Amino acid sequence: MPKVRTWQLATGAAVVGLTLAAGAVAAAGPWDSGQRKAERARAASHGPTGGAHHEPPIPKPPAPAPSAAPVLTALGGPRTVTAKEPTAPGDLPELLGPLLADPGLGTAPAACVVDLATGERLYGKRAETPMVPASTVKIATAAAALTALGPDHRIPTTVVAAPGAGEITLVGGGDATLDRARLGELAELTARALREHGPTPKDGKQAGNDAKPAPKIRLEYDASLYQGPALHPIGPNDNIAPVSALMVGQGRLDERTTGAATRSADPAGEAARVFGQLLAERGIRTGAPVPGRAAAAAVPLAQVLSEPLSSIVERMLTTSDNDIAEALARQTALATGEKASFTGAERAVTKQLRRLQLPLAGTRFADGSGLGRRDKVSAVLLTTLLARASDAAHPELRPILTGLPVAGFSGTLENRWSDASAGTGLVRAKTGTLTGVNALAGTVVAPGGRLLGFAFLAAGTPSPYDAQPALDRLAAALAS
């Protein structure tokens, strides 16, 4: 559950005493301490997927949740070896070569397959060639954020007050998962603090014989934590809101929580407007919110925290959430002393990946989401990232593996693979889809329990209806 903090504001002074709130967020959502509740409830719910998917997904009818052999036992535990494993290095060119020649993958797809228990490369074709990764770049974004911040990091959203509480400021900390329920919790904590320690009487009216409404409190909002252009270089797009340090519901103007949706052109202003409404429902009158900066003399009044970064990363990867990805890139920049902008985030992500001793030749991380075409990664970089995430020496990276969608089961892979496919339930992979670009990178349990990491990148693809099944056949072949 997201943590909640509230501060007591000393009347007429700027002295603050920190206390922990006893309440908890009413709606925890599907992400709870790194455990994906959506998977456990999969049989009862099928929702749309999100992310950089400009083409409609290939539908398939709902099916019972598949079962799979334990994936992580292959990272160090015993495994059964068949007389001749289909995943032996000598077999892979014969196995994968014809599948890579599928015209649905364009003229020059790239591929890399590694043994995640040993890091040994088992197969490679144009594996070092930098290519447009689409949303598979989110694996790199996740690794950089987890390395810079740690899996337990939480992102704050805060309300501060000027002395006397005549003015309050809603300060965005960059939490792209902030929803109306948690903003309502912040409003409740703020109203309680104002009633207990501010000038607003508990009944909402001034004392005396002539009862009058209490004066309005000035409401400002501060989204200055992020710098540079807010609009993604692709321009206005239903797949992403303007990147802002303050937003609620990712700036969506409808009830959907994933997938494409019309977005507010001013997410910070919209979040402040909703916050003002939530305060009004609790008897606190404010004027129309205005942009500003928290006063130097302002003191903390209330705060809510996001889920741990581990859960945020899982959510980003499972649903291919672009807003979260860009937020995590900027959080990485803030943690490493770079400006929280597209250019600062690119430097920060590159710096963190270099710390992991990854093959970065020719790579570029122009954004955190993969929506742009200036990003470049290689298949070998993605498989090396998966190997680092499976390495016991890097437990902070494990949410990368646990956040990958499961074939035929969850997230952006829920409607891919038939029930009869060898990959169903055994493949966990991050998808990537732009017009003419398709990618798939993740893990697969091969016969005998061997855990493999793979990355397949394709450019110049005719359509996702041709490319996605071709990519799925490649991953399924490793499991068959």
Side-chain angles (χ1 to χ4, degrees):
M1 300 287 286
K3 292 182 179 177
V4 179
R5 292 177 180 167
T6 182
W7 284 268
Q8 293 180 340
L9 179 64
T11 303
V15 179
V16 181
L18 177 63
T19 60
L20 292 177
V25 176
W31 308 97
D32 183 15
S33 301
Q35 301 300 314
R36 284 174 293 175
K37 293 180 178 179
E39 288 191 11
R40 298 199 293 269
R42 186 261 185 189
S45 175
H46 294 271
T49 58
H53 299 277
H54 299 295
E55 303 288 350
I58 299 174
K60 82 175 187 67
S67 60
V71 174
L72 297 181
T73 56
L75 298 182
R79 63 186 179 93
T80 303
V81 181
T82 59
K84 182 182 179 183
E85 293 192 24
T87 53
D91 296 331
L92 289 180
E94 181 180 348
L95 181 69
L96 300 181
L99 296 174
L100 285 167
D102 191 310
L105 297 176
T107 59
C112 189
V113 181
V114 301
D115 185 322
L116 290 181
T118 65
E120 176 189 3
R121 187 194 295 192
L122 305 179
Y123 179 81
K125 185 171 185 178
R126 289 182 283 271
E128 285 82 16
T129 302
M131 298 181 67
V132 177
S135 276
T136 59
V137 82
K138 290 182 173 77
I139 296 174
T141 303
L146 289 166
T147 301
L149 296 159
D152 298 325
H153 178 75
R154 295 175 185 255
I155 304 170
T157 305
T158 309
V159 174
V160 300
E167 174 182 297
I168 61 174
T169 305
L170 176 64
V171 183
D175 180 10
T177 68
L178 184 69
D179 57 15
R180 190 181 180 99
R182 194 141 36 92
L183 192 62
E185 183 71 14
L186 183 61
E188 180 66 31
L189 294 170
T190 301
R192 186 185 309 165
L194 288 172
R195 286 195 179 99
E196 292 178 355
H197 306 288
T200 306
K202 294 183 179 181
D203 61 359
K205 297 181 179 181
Q206 291 179 332
N209 295 329
D210 297 326
K212 298 179 181 179
K216 290 182 179 180
I217 293 176
R218 177 180 171 86
L219 173 60
E220 291 189 347
Y221 59 94
D222 184 348
S224 63
L225 186 65
Y226 290 172
Q227 302 174 38
L231 198 63
H232 191 282
I234 63 172
N237 191 285
D238 287 351
N239 287 289
I240 189 170
V243 183
S244 174
L246 176 63
M247 59 170 59
V248 62
Q250 299 180 328
R252 297 172 184 273
L253 298 180
D254 59 28
E255 297 301 317
R256 285 176 288 182
T257 58
T258 60
T262 303
R263 312 297 184 103
S264 169
D266 180 17
E270 178 66 15
R273 185 188 65 79
V274 173
F275 185 65
Q277 291 178 343
L278 293 168
L279 285 174
E281 292 172 5
R282 290 156 176 82
I284 302 298
R285 301 172 65 239
T286 66
V290 294
R293 295 285 187 95
V299 293
L301 191 66
Q303 183 183 86
V304 291
L305 301 177
S306 71
E307 292 282 355
L309 189 65
S310 56
S311 295
I312 295 176
V313 163
E314 286 184 333
R315 174 175 169 180
M316 174 189 72
L317 294 174
T318 300
T319 64
S320 197
D321 192 298
N322 300 306
D323 300 282
I324 293 177
E326 297 300 348
L328 291 185
R330 279 162 173 70
Q331 294 291 315
T332 302
L334 291 169
T336 56
E338 298 285 354
K339 290 184 178 179
S341 63
F342 281 106
T343 55
E346 180 177 359
R347 288 192 296 268
V349 168
T350 304
K351 183 190 307 182
Q352 293 307 301
L353 297 183
R354 189 172 291 119
R355 285 182 56 191
L356 293 171
Q357 299 181 321
L358 298 168
L360 297 178
T363 58
R364 184 174 181 191
F365 308 97
D367 67 14
S369 61
L371 280 172
R373 295 175 183 268
R374 293 183 297 164
D375 296 317
K376 290 287 169 41
V377 308
S378 63
V380 72
L381 169 62
L382 292 173
T383 54
T384 306
L385 272 167
L386 294 167
R388 291 288 188 276
S390 67
D391 190 342
H394 291 282
E396 74 281 1
L397 299 181
R398 190 56 56 86
I400 293 173
L401 298 184
T402 57
L404 295 173
V406 180
F409 184 58
S410 64
T412 55
L413 290 186
E414 182 178 2
N415 293 318
R416 286 170 64 164
W417 275 274
S418 70
D419 300 338
S421 171
T424 301
L426 298 178
V427 172
R428 303 185 70 137
K430 181 70 199 74
T431 55
T433 307
L434 295 171
T435 302
V437 174
N438 295 89
L440 194 68
T443 68
V444 58
V445 184
R450 192 176 198 179
L451 186 63
L452 307 180
F454 65 85
F456 304 119
L457 303 173
T461 58
S463 81
Y465 298 100
D466 298 312
Q468 289 178 5
L471 291 169
D472 297 349
R473 285 191 288 272
L474 283 163
L478 296 174
S480 61

